[in-house]
Amino acid sequence: MDFEAVRKGSARHPKPAGLALQYGTAGFRSRAQHLDHIMFRMGALAVLRSRATASAIGVMVTASHNPEEDNGVKLIDPHGEMLHPLWEEYATQLANAEEQELQKVMTEICQKEAVDLHRDALVFTGRDTRPSSMNLSQAVMDGVSVLGGQYRDYGLVTTPQLHYMVCCHNTQEQYGKATVEGYYEKLSKAFIELIKKANSSSSGDSQRHLKIDCANGIGALKLMEMERYFPQEILIHLYNDGTSEKLNHLCGADYVKVHQKPPRGLDMKPNERCCSFDGDADRIVYYYKDADDRFHLIDGDKIATLISIFLKELLVKVEETLKVAVVQTAYANGSSTRYLEETVKVPVHCVKTGVKHLHHKAQEFDVGVYFEANGHGTVLFSKAAETKIRQLAKEEKDDERREAAKMLENMVDLVNQTVGDAIADMLVIEAILALKGLTVQQWDGIYTDLPNRLLKVQASYSSSIVADRQVIGTTDAERRVTAPAGLQESIDALVKKRQAARAFVRPSGTEDAVRVYAEADTQ
């Protein structure tokens, strides 16, 4: 390793004195002006990870649903999944090392991971539309170059697109072509095949119009590029396309979910189907207004339910013993859990908050559906399940079974199995609604959410507990508290007084706050 080159490169991307950041679920996030050194160092770390795995690694510059002034970065592992937890620790160590410690920290990582420094390294880079992303992305490439790695810069892409590229490249393009056009072609082909079976009369022409709030982010650019690949049946109308307003400002999936109201800049008429992406297009929520002008949100729980019903019906038709399971977090509405278990008869598993926990659990099943309530999620098919489905689609003699298998095969190709993807999830939802002839109100009416509240208690409150959020210990997928003593008993006593009630508190994984969730039979 050329430490003189590292020293010189690092001097051009100096670390502000005393700044310490943690690599969390979403990678690093901060004000953009604090991140130049982080980007340089993550470019270098990606080279080490590439050499350690003999694979291409991704580096995405984005802060997702955060305000425009923020930015962030996350690394993408060989199969398009999130960075290995051990390497998250290395990322934090490298990010916070003072200039004179850089050499030592890098050397330690190489020794622990037996990194072959003579091996070629390839890093895929991408960025969102923030004003700061271009320069920060350049800092990543500087970090890649300083350790002798090669980079392939995809420029402006959604986060899920970069995950997809990394997976395509490392599977020798078995997963698809590692280009943006390849992504559009794969998804649109599967979508067109899937909706062939939709009887045009069943859902009526008006049902195919969809209004999309793009959060003034990258989703708008990519949907404009992709529009020519869509069939005529789907008519999308883009709002908050980034031409005049700020990213995520009073719009986007997070805003709509948290405030339970439509985004600014989108004019809703009664019973029109609308959806919102977040800033980097890895989350989606749907919503509509009823005839009485009441707003209805359709969140990740209802998306997971719709997809699970559809997959279960197809699997029953192909008479395969493949098992579907749904993975949720403690934030999932109790009504959704009950409906999935008792009516759809699909097992539901609860895991700790954070996409990596959901993804990991979903990998245990033939077909694993996971969504966070915030609209981030996807479907995973095991290798064995995928092989079986493709074989039935090709060889099954019985017409009905073969058609069902073909539809399952199209679902395999339409979902982005690497990560939650707003574009892919939107196409999955649109296809299912068309095939089942469902209106947005009928979908919403599958079950009724229990009234609930989600609050966050900031660390500035004059409470001894919240002065340090780590005082709160949790167990049972964060649904119960182990510390401080007496807290769980107090919660239990309150919950006992109400019907269909539950509540939990947990330290936030992304900010200095404690989150409090409660639901019951009445608001």
Side-chain angles (χ1 to χ4, degrees):
M1 212 181 318
D2 184 349
F3 284 114
E4 185 52 29
V6 172
R7 193 186 60 73
K8 279 186 180 157
S10 186
R12 288 194 293 275
H13 303 279
K15 174 182 175 292
L19 180 71
L21 293 170
Q22 177 91 22
Y23 193 105
T25 303
F28 289 109
R29 296 256 176 103
S30 184
R31 284 281 185 252
Q33 65 268 28
H34 296 153
L35 289 170
D36 186 61
H37 70 294
I38 299 265
M39 299 292 171
F40 172 77
R41 294 172 182 202
M42 290 308 101
L45 186 72
V47 170
L48 300 183
R49 181 74 178 145
S50 175
R51 287 180 174 141
T53 57
S55 306
I57 297 295
V59 181
M60 183 69 197
V61 176
T62 183
S64 190
H65 56 276
N66 281 35
E68 189 171 272
E69 302 72 42
D70 289 359
N71 218 320
V73 62
K74 48 188 170 189
L75 274 67
I76 301 167
D77 254 357
H79 287 285
E81 74 275 48
M82 295 184 151
L83 185 62
H84 189 284
L86 190 58
W87 283 77
E88 289 185 3
E89 290 174 30
Y90 297 155
T92 301
Q93 289 162 15
L94 192 59
N96 296 328
E98 298 306 332
E99 297 292 333
Q100 64 276 14
E101 301 167 340
L102 267 184
Q103 181 175 340
K104 178 169 159 281
V105 173
M106 281 187 180
T107 306
E108 278 174 6
I109 294 169
C110 291
Q111 285 169 347
K112 280 183 192 156
E113 298 294 327
V115 176
D116 177 356
L117 294 172
H118 302 294
R119 188 179 262 159
D120 287 343
L122 180 59
V123 178
F124 288 5
T125 56
R127 58 185 159 90
D128 71 11
T129 55
R130 290 164 200 271
S132 59
S133 291
M134 176 89 104
N135 287 341
L136 292 175
S137 185
Q138 186 54 56
V140 172
M141 292 180 243
D142 291 352
V144 173
S145 300
V146 87
L147 287 190
Q150 300 292 312
Y151 59 79
R152 185 183 299 174
D153 181 27
Y154 282 91
L156 290 165
V157 283
T158 70
T159 296
Q161 283 177 333
L162 195 66
H163 283 257
Y164 173 91
M165 304 304 167
V166 171
C167 182
C168 288
H169 179 85
N170 290 323
T171 56
Q172 285 68 55
E173 300 210 327
Q174 278 178 303
Y175 191 66
K177 278 217 317 264
T179 63
V180 176
E181 295 72 35
Y183 169 92
Y184 297 148
E185 282 162 9
K186 180 182 176 184
L187 266 61
S188 58
K189 180 171 177 279
F191 178 72
I192 289 163
E193 283 297 314
L194 198 52
I195 62 163
K196 270 184 186 165
K197 298 283 171 295
N199 180 349
S200 51
S201 63
S202 67
S203 54
D205 178 50
S206 63
Q207 289 304 311
R208 294 299 178 82
H209 287 264
L210 176 65
K211 290 185 169 179
I212 307 171
D213 155 35
C214 299
N216 290 310
I218 185 70
L221 293 181
K222 297 297 142 183
L223 282 173
M224 285 176 207
E225 288 175 7
M226 194 175 182
E227 220 168 338
R228 64 189 182 87
Y229 292 88
F230 289 150
Q232 281 130 346
E233 295 95 325
I234 182 166
L235 291 161
I236 61 170
H237 309 276
L238 306 185
Y239 297 82
N240 298 319
D241 62 4
T243 47
S244 57
E245 291 287 337
K246 279 173 74 166
L247 177 71
N248 296 324
H249 182 58
L250 303 177
C251 62
D254 201 56
Y255 174 85
V256 172
K257 166 82 177 145
V258 170
H259 296 280
Q260 301 272 326
K261 63 180 184 187
R264 189 166 84 177
L266 190 148
D267 170 40
M268 288 171 77
K269 295 187 177 61
N271 298 325
E272 279 186 332
R273 221 170 45 254
C274 306
C275 68
S276 284
F277 289 9
D278 69 336
D280 65 338
D282 64 358
R283 292 184 187 185
I284 185 170
V285 294
Y286 271 69
Y287 45 92
Y288 68 99
K289 267 186 178 166
D290 62 24
D292 301 324
D293 211 39
R294 268 203 315 254
F295 177 82
H296 296 257
L297 176 76
I298 301 179
D299 64 6
D301 297 338
K302 259 190 185 141
I303 294 172
T305 305
L306 179 73
I307 294 171
S308 303
I309 291 168
F310 183 67
L311 290 171
K312 178 92 191 274
E313 285 170 357
L314 290 176
L315 286 168
V316 168
K317 277 184 190 159
V318 298
E319 297 169 20
E320 264 311 308
T321 52
L322 299 174
K323 295 279 180 281
V324 187
V326 177
V327 187
Q328 297 181 326
T329 70
Y331 290 117
N333 195 278
S335 285
S336 73
T337 312
R338 204 164 300 125
Y339 183 83
L340 283 162
E341 289 181 331
E342 294 171 11
T343 308
V344 190
K345 304 241 181 299
V346 166
V348 179
H349 300 265
C350 186
V351 297
K352 278 166 63 168
T353 304
V355 177
K356 61 184 175 191
H357 302 299
L358 290 131
H359 193 91
H360 188 69
K361 186 70 182 174
Q363 288 173 321
E364 294 177 16
F365 311 103
D366 297 323
V367 184
V369 181
Y370 76 80
F371 271 84
E372 291 188 294
N374 64 26
H376 188 289
T378 189
V379 185
L380 304 183
F381 293 86
S382 71
K383 267 282 155 267
E386 189 177 322
T387 305
K388 188 79 200 156
I389 288 165
R390 293 200 194 279
Q391 184 192 348
L392 286 167
K394 206 157 64 207
E395 297 168 11
E396 175 56 49
K397 299 284 183 282
D398 179 82
D399 286 354
E400 195 185 357
R401 284 181 68 184
R402 190 178 61 254
E403 284 310 315
K406 276 187 180 164
M407 289 169 94
L408 281 168
E409 183 175 38
N410 293 323
M411 282 290 284
V412 171
D413 290 332
L414 186 52
V415 295
N416 186 341
Q417 293 190 58
T418 65
V419 73
D421 183 336
I423 294 177
D425 290 340
M426 174 191 86
L427 293 173
V428 165
I429 292 161
E430 290 302 307
I432 296 172
L433 293 177
L435 285 160
K436 293 180 77 64
L438 288 175
T439 65
V440 67
Q441 308 87 300
Q442 287 168 324
W443 173 20
D444 186 34
I446 292 174
Y447 62 81
T448 306
D449 277 329
L450 285 168
N452 60 86
R453 287 296 301 274
L454 171 60
L455 301 172
K456 66 177 176 189
V457 185
Q458 296 294 81
S460 55
Y461 279 55
S462 56
S463 145
S464 58
I465 288 183
V466 192
D468 172 16
R469 69 183 197 267
Q470 303 308 341
V471 168
I472 294 183
T474 65
T475 185
D476 186 25
E478 302 177 310
R479 289 177 289 189
R480 295 188 68 76
V481 172
T482 53
L487 179 56
Q488 187 59 52
E489 290 74 11
S490 306
I491 295 170
D492 289 343
L494 286 167
V495 165
K496 229 184 232 122
K497 296 177 185 171
R498 298 278 172 259
Q499 290 294 307
R502 67 185 183 101
F504 64 89
V505 301
R506 59 176 284 274
S508 166
T510 51
E511 52 188 324
D512 205 12
V514 172
R515 302 203 190 275
V516 181
Y517 179 86
E519 64 182 33
D521 59 339
T522 66
Q523 193 66 53

